[in-house]
Amino acid sequence: MTDQANSAVSGPGSAIRVLLADDEEMVRHGVRLILRHAEGIEVVGEAANGAEAVRCAAEDRPDVVLLDVRMPVLDGLAAVEPLVALDPAPQVVMLTTFGDEENVLRALRAGATGFLLKDEGPQELIRAVRAAAAGDAVLSPGVTGTVVRRMLSGGAPRVPDRRVAGLTDREREVLVMLGEGLSNLEIGTRLGIGVGTVKTHVGSILGKTGCGSRVQAALLAHQAGLMG
């Protein structure tokens, strides 16, 4: 952890606070170097296993946690739930390798914001951190299609779901757009409303449906038959 561990959570206009969790020091070093030169992003802590990541997140209060899937003591999959249970909860982005879709599925169902392949370029890493901090889903293009198909084929049948019954018409519209994979900005542009209003709708959707993340909400939109 850094000497910034006890500073306040970032507010509007503040730097995005990031916690790195990977048992490989070289990986952490490389990610840290990339993010260090990104405007508006600050690495506030590092962890070498899942248990340490949860402890550091509780103290450092990051906005985003970049979490390796495979780590000793407590792996990334087991660390997702205690991380998203924190108050305030960070956005959790899993760092994975191609072909690890089954673990990615487990992480998304546990509440992770999304996943990023470790071999993505520096700009994609920076974009992912900013997207996660903004509340958008982070899905690496290389495996997104495979993961979504497996989530749908292995989940509940696509029938009306009572969890969407309490949504307003506008919230249903937003949920469908989450199912399309749109960002807050894209949803706002399509509906002619501000990003802040979109975030309010997304938060309400998650609260009413019990979904732990935008990814889970997107899956619900498909399973509930809202996607046509």
Side-chain angles (χ1 to χ4, degrees), residues 14-173:
S14 300
I16 299 169
R17 298 168 59 81
V18 178
L19 172 67
L20 310 177
D22 196 299
D23 62 324
E24 295 185 33
E25 185 175 358
M26 287 297 293
V27 172
R28 297 199 309 272
H29 177 72
V31 172
R32 185 172 64 250
L33 286 179
I34 292 171
L35 297 183
R36 177 180 295 172
H37 294 92
E39 183 179 356
I41 297 177
E42 178 183 11
V43 177
V44 298
E46 297 184 23
N49 59 67
E52 188 177 345
V54 175
R55 184 170 62 254
C56 289
E59 297 178 2
D60 294 352
R61 298 165 69 91
D63 301 303
V64 178
V65 177
L66 297 177
L67 186 67
D68 187 23
V69 171
R70 302 177 185 275
M71 291 185 291
V73 184
L74 184 71
D75 66 22
L77 297 173
V80 174
E81 288 192 8
L83 281 169
V84 299
L86 293 173
D87 186 17
Q91 300 293 327
V92 179
V93 177
M94 308 303 297
L95 297 175
T96 185
T97 56
F98 189 82
D100 203 18
E101 291 90 350
E102 187 58 43
N103 284 332
V104 169
L105 291 177
R106 290 175 56 193
L108 295 179
R109 288 170 176 148
T113 298
F115 58 89
L116 188 69
L117 291 177
K118 285 188 174 182
D119 60 0
E120 296 281 7
Q123 291 307 311
E124 182 63 22
L125 173 63
I126 294 170
R127 185 205 64 79
V129 168
R130 289 176 174 155
D136 290 331
V138 177
L139 303 173
S140 193
V143 290
T144 297
T146 300
V147 168
V148 171
R149 285 193 297 271
R150 291 185 63 178
M151 289 182 81
L152 292 173
S153 65
R158 300 181 200 183
V159 297
D161 192 303
R162 64 183 181 184
R163 288 179 293 171
V164 304
L167 299 180
T168 65
D169 290 342
R170 177 47 60 89
E171 287 168 349
R172 282 174 177 259
E173 285 183 286

